[in-house]
Amino acid sequence: SIYLCFFALMSILVSTLNSSVAADNAATLKPSGNTSHVVFFVNSAPDSPFWLSQVNYATAVAQALDMQLTVVYIPNKYIDRFGVFDFISNYLQKSPKVPDLIVSALWLGAEEKLLMLMDQQKIPLISINAHLTDRHLAVLGKPRGRFPLWLGHVSADDVKVGNLMAEYLIQDI
């Protein structure tokens, strides 16, 4: 899974960081000891099969790496490019401590605002699950470029995956 690479990268990036935070409206895994704290913003309901599998995987990785993982499910009324930004911004304002790392999808149309917020708050971000076109990259730059705390981006190549799926299905005919 592409998320294996993401969580391997996450463990390397936050291995020297230490923090903890309690979150309202979130599921928090609190391991023993002084650990890094990662907030994973999920833009779906907790019962979504795709995101449930990602949260389960993230939880297992966090346990194995002795990290504190807070999974924050973004309420439906905020699931748009403007609402998600406002929700994340408000969440950070209310948090007693700054997370060591945030993992979130980029909402196309609001990605620059989110990246600027992370730089202002001095919070590293790994973005996931959004295809960034050449046009997006021309505006945003690549991770660790214009936005130095944008540590990386993990996203499937939907076109390539679609082509591979078609090839496999054709072979079975």
Side-chain angles (χ1 to χ4, degrees), residues 5-170:
C5 296
F6 154 69
F7 282 104
L9 175 64
M10 183 177 74
S11 67
I12 293 167
L13 295 172
V14 299
S15 63
T16 60
L17 303 172
N18 293 306
S19 178
S20 64
V21 63
D24 293 330
N25 197 17
T28 302
L29 169 69
K30 294 182 181 177
S32 60
N34 192 10
T35 63
S36 298
H37 180 237
V38 177
V39 176
F40 184 6
F41 287 103
V42 177
N43 55 340
S44 179
D47 61 351
S48 163
F50 172 79
W51 287 106
L52 180 61
S53 69
Q54 301 311 308
V55 168
N56 288 340
Y57 184 74
T59 301
V61 171
Q63 286 174 331
L65 298 174
D66 198 33
M67 295 176 156
Q68 179 182 350
L69 176 68
T70 300
V71 178
V72 180
Y73 292 93
I74 300 172
N76 280 340
K77 69 181 182 178
Y78 296 102
I79 304 287
D80 63 56
R81 64 184 176 176
F82 305 110
V84 168
F85 172 80
D86 291 341
F87 181 85
I88 292 173
S89 180
N90 288 335
Y91 177 91
L92 293 173
Q93 287 176 6
K94 293 177 182 178
S95 293
K97 290 187 180 180
V98 177
D100 296 309
L101 176 69
I102 288 181
V103 178
S104 177
L106 285 180
W107 284 81
L108 302 180
E111 62 277 349
E112 189 172 22
K113 281 180 70 174
L114 182 61
L115 291 169
M116 287 192 302
L117 175 66
M118 294 302 109
D119 270 5
Q120 289 168 354
Q121 298 284 325
K122 298 187 182 345
I123 303 171
L125 170 76
I126 294 177
S127 56
I128 60 170
N129 200 44
H131 176 68
L132 298 177
T133 65
D134 291 338
R135 183 182 63 82
H136 290 112
L137 293 173
V139 171
L140 302 173
K142 292 183 179 180
R144 299 185 73 76
R146 177 177 168 209
F147 298 100
L149 294 176
W150 181 24
L151 302 179
H153 182 76
V154 180
S155 177
D157 182 339
D158 292 332
V159 173
K160 184 175 183 176
V161 170
N163 288 335
L164 289 172
M165 176 82 78
E167 288 175 20
Y168 291 132
L169 291 173
I170 290 169

